Amino acid sequence: MEMTLSTLLDLNANKHPDLEIVIFEDARATCSRLRDKANQRASALLSTGIEKGDHVAVLGTNCMELVETFFAIWRIGAVFVPLNFRNSPDELTYVVNHSDATSIIFQDKFEETVMKMKPSINEVQKFMIMGEGPSQDFIDFEVMTSEASIESPAVEVKEEDTATILYTAGTTGKPKGVLATHRNWIWACLGIRILGEKFWPDRPKSLLCGPYFHTGGLGNFLYCFFNQAPQVVLKKFDPLTALEWIEKEKINRLQGVSTTYNLILQVPDIKKYDLSSIHTLGSGAETMPDETRNRLKDVCPTAGIEEGYGMTESCGFIAARTREYTASKPYSVGFSPFTIEVRVVDEQGHDIAPNEVGEIVIRGPNIMKEYYKDPEKTADALRDGWLWTHDLGKMDEDGFLYIIERKHDMIKSGGENIYPKEVEDVLYRHPKITEAAVFGVPDPIWGQNVHAAVVLEKGKHMTVKEVVEFCKANLASFKKPKQVEFVETLPRSPIGKILRSELRKRFQNQGK
């Protein structure tokens, strides 16, 4: 039997037909219902002439219809190309054209956006709209679905067939299309299962809010689905809404980024909510500050903090620190299952000693096939079977991995290497500071200067001198910020990760 994402849909429906597996704020689906609805949408796609191997771009926010649609695309062996709904029409047009999508499916709320894109889209032949609003300009995907058969379409899908093309954020240029097969995704799910062998059999109920165009959102959806673990999905993250759903659904596992937890912790009277059902707080994409970690222990004293490490090129998973190591290895992202090999190497690719900093390289069946239509970047990233991550890290004597910094985020000042996280951890300890980001700006003498963007608590005031002196008292003097900018908010990626690249662009001339 070929193990694909389509197969996974059948296995869950056959073994657990009545298990309520996906819960949205306005819809709930059992395994069998999700299979039937995906089958209907798959039949509708086939009836329009979409075939196996076709690339289908999808524009929509998290909702049940979107889940049914990407399973339908995989059902017929087509390729799911999720679009970032926060992007401009021009940015979306680039992705649609670069991915060679021949069809686009979109929610009715994005009809105006698609109308702006339409004149510049090269290969798209079919425009299909989802939602209740009728349209005279596009194919009504909802009507077609309602009239389609619930029988599984007779399309043979192979493990090595392409399942997704996910586009990276493009912080260093145009976004890259990460091409992953069904096999890649299944092995990522299997790796999560192996690492959490004591965790997943209990089928913990998770609360998720990551968008499906991002590997964190899609990956966490699939990890839960693979393990028959129910998931409650917020269409849009709101801390009050999250707390209400935790209490209402008796959530066991909350998954987010550090920012998610910072926002929840700022809710007044947070302790009036019953959070006793939570036993795992999952975090990824960026390292959690010490202050956030300590405050979480206060509001969820019985919960373990589980931090993971992954990237789009690895289908979202490389390593994780399971909750039993919360206390003993609090700053590690854990270790990898036997299915994934991880090394820390120098610039020549030689392994380095434990606790020395180098670049993380990985190998395993969950690693992407290629960057779509970009052989040069593929060759640079995939060398002799190993993926060079451009992340700096170290491995301790016990084999636990630590993420130090993105290679391009490290600050080099006066011959010294300065890691932004180390400075940020100090800033987060100040009672008036709620968020901080540290980055390098050009300096003609030192190469780079340390610059900090700081968000203060509402109603609080600080001077630049106060911030610098606080850092100087807790860090080596050369690591303290030379400039401090007080800002209302920090620029973030769709999943809430702070974008230092945007801050560097904004303040690049201030260090001169």
Side-chain angles (χ1 to χ4, degrees), residues 203-392:
R203 294 184 193 154
K205 182 179 282 190
S206 297
L207 180 70
L208 309 175
C209 57
Y212 294 143
F213 61 77
H214 189 279
T215 189
L218 184 61
N220 269 290
F221 175 92
L222 290 172
Y223 307 153
C224 290
F225 195 77
F226 183 88
N227 289 289
Q228 301 96 47
Q231 53 187 294
V232 177
V233 187
L234 300 181
K235 294 188 174 184
K236 180 181 179 182
F237 176 74
D238 173 78
L240 277 173
T241 304
L243 289 169
E244 289 166 358
W245 277 91
I246 290 169
E247 189 172 62
K248 176 183 176 181
E249 291 288 335
K250 303 271 189 284
I251 296 297
N252 309 125
R253 169 181 172 256
L254 183 59
Q255 181 68 35
V257 295
S258 179
T259 303
T260 303
Y261 295 111
N262 283 334
L263 291 171
I264 289 175
L265 289 166
Q266 291 175 39
V267 172
D269 302 323
I270 185 175
K271 290 191 176 182
K272 76 177 183 180
Y273 294 93
D274 182 5
L275 308 181
S276 60
S277 60
I278 296 178
H279 57 57
T280 303
L281 298 164
S283 181
E286 57 185 355
T287 306
M288 185 180 292
D290 285 343
E291 183 62 21
T292 304
R293 194 187 310 271
N294 294 333
R295 292 176 67 191
L296 283 173
K297 290 177 183 176
D298 181 49
V299 298
C300 297
T302 61
I305 299 175
E306 183 178 275
E307 293 186 76
Y309 169 53
M311 55 198 307
T312 308
E313 289 86 344
S314 65
C315 293
F317 174 64
I318 295 171
R321 187 195 69 241
T322 49
R323 51 189 173 154
E324 61 264 37
Y325 296 104
T326 299
S328 61
K329 302 284 187 179
Y331 304 113
S332 168
V333 293
F335 50 90
S336 300
F338 67 85
T339 56
I340 302 172
E341 296 175 83
V342 179
R343 297 162 54 215
V344 180
V345 302
D346 60 21
E347 292 185 358
Q348 288 73 44
H350 302 133
D351 292 327
I352 60 177
N355 294 310
E356 288 189 9
V357 176
E359 184 166 347
I360 299 166
V361 297
I362 57 175
R363 181 168 67 179
N366 60 313
I367 303 305
M368 69 167 185
K369 186 175 181 179
E370 63 185 22
Y371 289 122
Y372 188 60
K373 296 196 306 189
D374 201 333
E376 186 176 329
K377 286 189 173 66
T378 299
D380 179 63
L382 296 173
R383 307 178 209 169
D384 298 321
W386 292 87
L387 174 68
W388 288 63
T389 66
H390 298 298
D391 287 329
L392 298 175

